[in-house]
Amino acid sequence: MTQDKPTEPAFDRDRLLAWMAANGVAQTTHDHPAVFRVDEGRELKVAMPGAHTKNLFLKDKKGRLWLISARQDTVVDLKRAPRTIGSDRLSFGNEGLLYETLGLTPGSVTALGLINDAERRVTFVLDKALWDAEIVNFHPLTNTATTGLAQADFRRFLTLIGREPMVVDFARLA
């Protein structure tokens, strides 16, 4: 018996950036060495204006999938968040589900991966601190670059892919 090879995601970095250009979503992308955790690459982030992010791919005990994107310095309390977002107990989603739904690998989790979630299996939760930021920075589906978007362009991206975030003020939950 052979195992099925995972389906290639519709978008990778190059296709994402080309799609943004074709759809009038202005962005600036900076290449850099791979960054796997929020606390890595601080010297890279200093040179890039805007709010930098942390992104959590989660699953609740009913099997629902969640992507929480928060400002890098925001505390996301996973014990308090479920009541606020309407989920059950949250745990991290596995690598297979991450790739299957968002076309991402660990270390590259990003709100821009929602472009690969054609079936809308993942509920998007956005930190109010990011919703209010002038510029937001996300990985462009790979952790070897960072893409900066003005807030208007980030919202345009979400509108074009048909996604409305659940905006949560995580600072008030702490």
Side-chain angles (χ1 to χ4, degrees), residues 122-158:
V122 180
T123 300
F124 182 42
V125 180
L126 184 67
D127 181 11
K128 186 174 183 321
L130 288 182
W131 186 248
D132 294 340
E134 275 184 49
I135 298 172
V136 292
N137 291 287
F138 292 98
H139 288 310
L141 312 185
T142 176
N143 65 352
T144 58
T146 297
T147 296
L149 298 149
Q151 187 61 240
D153 288 295
F154 179 53
R155 292 183 188 191
R156 178 169 172 70
F157 167 79
L158 292 174

Side-chain angles (χ1 to χ4, degrees), residues 57 65 96-103 113-114 116-118 121-122:
F57 179 68
L65 302 175
L97 263 178
L98 176 62
Y99 190 80
E100 178 187 319
T101 57
L102 299 177
L114 291 166
N116 282 321
D117 185 23
R121 292 173 57 194
V122 180

Side-chain angles (χ1 to χ4, degrees), residues 23 63 66 68 92 138:
N23 284 282
W66 304 85
I68 297 178
F92 288 94
F138 292 98

